[in-house]
Amino acid sequence: RPLPRPRILLKAPTLAEMEEMNLFEDEDSP
Amino acid sequence: HPVNIPRREKDFQGMLEYKKEDELKLVKNLILELKPRGVAVNLIPGLPAYILFMCLRHADYLNDDQKVRSLLTSVINSIKKILKKRGDDFETVSFWLANTCRFLHCLKQYSGDEQFMKYNTPKQNDHCLSNFDLAEYRQVLSDLAIQIYQQLIKCMENILQPMIVSGMLEHETIQGVSGVKPTGLRKRTSSIADEGTYTLDSILRQLSSFHATMCQHGTDPELIKQVVKQQFYIIGAVTLNNLLLRKDMCSWSKGMQIRYNVSQLEEWLRDKNLMVCGAKETLEPLIQAAQLLQVKKKTDEDAEAICSMCNTLTTAQIVKVLNLYTPVNAFEERVSVTFIRTIQNRLRDRKESPQLLLDTKTIYPVTFPFSPSSLALETIQIPSSLSLGFLTRV
């Protein structure tokens, strides 16, 4: 059985950085 | 007409296909607008997590890293958003703690890492992610789970706090033990407290309600143990702090009442099969303070006994209880200064903080032990009540 291809490590932003990437308008943001 | 041949379970691969433009609808319907008390009540525990993971699997299957990143970011931001909005609702926080943990366990169980595949069926091993290693996203999800856990503790504390002093100290359930002359009328029975005051039963009912909600959401048993231990710590610390600050709470009869209340809490732990989660041990300082109120406090032997018994109380706490101790009737003497000096001398070599009160804001560090699921992804059906018709089972 062929060896499985190594998986590509996806670099992850931190929780705080993700917050910046907010994908929708934050209705309740002031 | 194309004949709609119902596909047998075994044809499905446990993935959910969705269009990129439907990602927002997915997180809106499944996270932002899902009501834990609404349709979510009938879901299998962790279903939202499994659905999100099956969508992620398909994005991985397409080898589309942008789609994977975008979905993970949307999911995490949506969970944070709903907790910002409804973070004071125990059910919401408990629901998303359970689902965030389940999602994290799926990312491990189907990561392809040997260490997380030990309990997988061959079919589950076939369902492992094929293109991406999401170890870094697992760390972000773990950070999120810690935040949600701390929010859950805060929620729970806000609900429990008003009950503790009244239920654990003020309300007397053992008739007549306080030595107060019974008035003409029989004293009210224990369960009917004066309007608005809480009894020990109120606390026990609330603990059961928290526990039932967490079980209903499919919270990992190991996590429930940590929550209960934290709950008991808060109950014990608030009760002891009030005892240390209130002269009217330092009497023989109060000692008796507290020991009775602690025994009821231990009964609750036994009933929930939670005797080994560390919760009982968090009550030890309170138990020792209650015993201190009841033991003899005169001779050197008494001092010796007290010093060896009160090994979870600080010297400051022991001395404070002895100073506040109020004899229940005229025949009993107060604790003598000499006796207290004897105690202080015996304990002077202890290396301990001089602090008197326990920190009720202490939250024990939380861990999320890996908890694989036996659920077969290919058998998962999506209830129409979730309005996720735009997802396609693959």
Side-chain angles (χ1 to χ4, degrees):
Chain A
R1 203 169 109 165
L3 277 177
R5 232 169 342 116
R7 295 175 181 82
I8 302 158
L9 175 66
L10 287 196
K11 303 298 287 170
T14 63
L15 269 179
E17 287 158 352
M18 273 191 191
E19 194 125 359
E20 266 65 69
M21 303 173 197
N22 224 344
L23 300 157
F24 26 69
E25 270 322 293
D26 215 356
E27 297 102 50
D28 48 5
S29 59
Chain B
H1 294 290
V3 176
N4 179 10
I5 305 164
R7 297 173 61 183
R8 287 189 314 282
E9 295 300 8
K10 77 177 183 54
D11 294 341
F12 290 113
Q13 299 167 58
M15 291 190 279
L16 287 168
E17 184 173 9
Y18 66 98
K19 296 186 190 65
K20 182 76 181 72
E21 58 268 24
D22 286 336
E23 182 187 288
L24 228 42
K25 208 163 31 168
L26 171 62
V27 295
K28 225 172 177 64
N29 294 7
L30 196 52
I31 302 176
L32 295 171
E33 289 167 8
L34 186 63
K35 300 283 183 289
R37 292 180 186 78
V39 291
V41 166
N42 311 311
L43 302 181
I44 57 166
L47 183 64
Y50 290 115
I51 290 173
L52 291 167
F53 180 68
M54 290 161 72
C55 294
L56 183 74
R57 276 198 64 220
H58 193 265
D60 167 80
Y61 167 75
L62 297 174
N63 200 7
D64 183 339
D65 68 312
Q66 270 317 309
K67 197 171 189 186
V68 167
R69 288 178 201 280
S70 176
L71 177 63
L72 285 168
T73 303
S74 293
V75 166
I76 289 169
N77 278 338
S78 302
I79 292 173
K80 289 188 72 173
K81 187 177 168 75
I82 195 65
L83 290 174
K84 206 184 287 177
K85 200 175 268 180
R86 296 218 300 271
D88 53 356
D89 173 47
F90 182 83
E91 295 238 7
T92 301
V93 183
S94 166
F95 185 81
W96 285 108
L97 177 60
N99 277 282
T100 301
C101 290
R102 179 43 56 201
F103 191 62
L104 179 56
H105 295 322
C106 284
L107 285 178
K108 289 178 178 175
Q109 184 173 355
Y110 295 95
S111 62
D113 292 8
E114 291 293 325
Q115 59 176 319
F116 298 127
M117 294 164 72
K118 280 188 218 123
Y119 308 99
N120 280 2
T121 62
K123 170 81 80 175
Q124 286 177 320
N125 282 336
D126 289 345
H127 289 168
C128 281
L129 296 171
S130 36
N131 290 298
F132 299 116
D133 171 350
L134 301 179
E136 288 200 8
Y137 277 95
R138 294 202 304 256
Q139 184 52 53
V140 176
L141 272 162
S142 184
D143 296 344
L144 175 61
I146 291 171
Q147 285 183 9
I148 302 173
Y149 175 83
Q150 291 173 343
Q151 200 155 351
L152 186 79
I153 298 303
K154 210 181 301 156
C155 253
M156 184 197 57
E157 187 179 343
N158 290 341
I159 295 168
L160 266 182
Q161 180 86 22
M163 301 181 179
I164 297 172
V165 174
S166 170
M168 286 295 290
L169 282 177
E170 291 164 344
H171 184 69
E172 288 180 0
T173 45
I174 310 175
Q175 292 303 329
V177 76
S178 61
V180 174
K181 292 278 166 296
T183 56
L185 296 173
R186 258 188 61 70
K187 286 189 79 178
R188 289 161 160 279
T189 58
S190 65
S191 59
I192 309 169
D194 305 326
E195 288 320 305
T197 60
Y198 293 105
T199 67
L200 179 69
D201 282 352
S202 320
I203 296 174
L204 295 172
R205 274 197 303 273
Q206 187 55 61
L207 290 173
S208 295
S209 166
F210 287 143
H211 186 260
T213 299
M214 292 189 286
C215 291
Q216 182 203 334
H217 293 156
T219 308
D220 297 320
E222 285 309 308
L223 192 50
I224 290 179
K225 286 181 184 172
Q226 296 179 69
V227 174
V228 170
K229 175 182 175 183
Q230 185 67 48
Q231 286 169 340
F232 273 60
Y233 171 77
I234 292 168
I235 292 170
V238 169
T239 305
L240 181 59
N241 285 353
N242 278 270
L243 187 144
L244 291 168
L245 294 174
R246 289 177 54 176
K247 189 177 170 59
D248 59 327
M249 293 297 153
C250 290
S251 66
W252 185 89
S253 60
K254 278 299 172 189
M256 173 82 131
Q257 181 66 60
I258 293 166
R259 290 179 73 176
Y260 170 78
N261 291 346
V262 166
S263 70
Q264 296 299 297
L265 286 167
E266 287 175 0
E267 190 56 37
W268 185 87
L269 286 173
R270 204 169 291 111
D271 177 49
K272 295 285 186 266
N273 195 17
L274 286 165
M275 281 305 274
V276 288
C277 70
K280 179 180 176 309
E281 289 68 19
T282 66
L283 296 178
E284 196 52 35
L286 176 62
I287 293 168
Q288 291 180 6
Q291 287 166 339
L292 180 54
L293 291 173
Q294 291 201 296
V295 295
K296 290 198 285 101
K297 311 170 189 49
K298 274 199 179 22
T299 67
D300 273 358
E301 289 72 26
D302 298 343
E304 168 68 30
I306 286 173
C307 293
S308 56
M309 175 184 79
C310 298
N311 58 0
T312 63
L313 291 175
T314 64
T315 305
Q317 289 166 340
I318 295 169
V319 169
K320 182 74 175 183
V321 169
L322 294 175
N323 274 320
L324 288 181
Y325 182 77
T326 313
V328 76
N329 55 41
F331 309 110
E332 208 189 333
E333 294 154 38
R334 301 190 58 80
V335 181
S336 70
V337 174
T338 324
F339 184 78
I340 292 174
R341 287 270 177 281
T342 311
I343 293 275
Q344 283 171 313
N345 286 335
R346 282 177 178 277
L347 298 177
R348 66 175 173 277
D349 301 336
R350 275 189 177 187
K351 303 275 177 292
E352 60 186 17
S353 75
Q355 91 179 51
L356 179 68
L357 302 182
L358 294 177
D359 176 4
T360 56
K361 295 301 172 203
T362 301
I363 296 186
Y364 294 111
V366 63
T367 60
F368 303 106
F370 176 54
S371 161
S373 161
S374 57
L375 191 71
L377 298 177
E378 71 277 10
T379 64
I380 288 178
Q381 316 229 5
I382 304 181
S384 53
S385 58
L386 290 179
S387 321
L388 297 173
F390 50 89
L391 298 182
T392 310
R393 272 179 90 190
V394 175

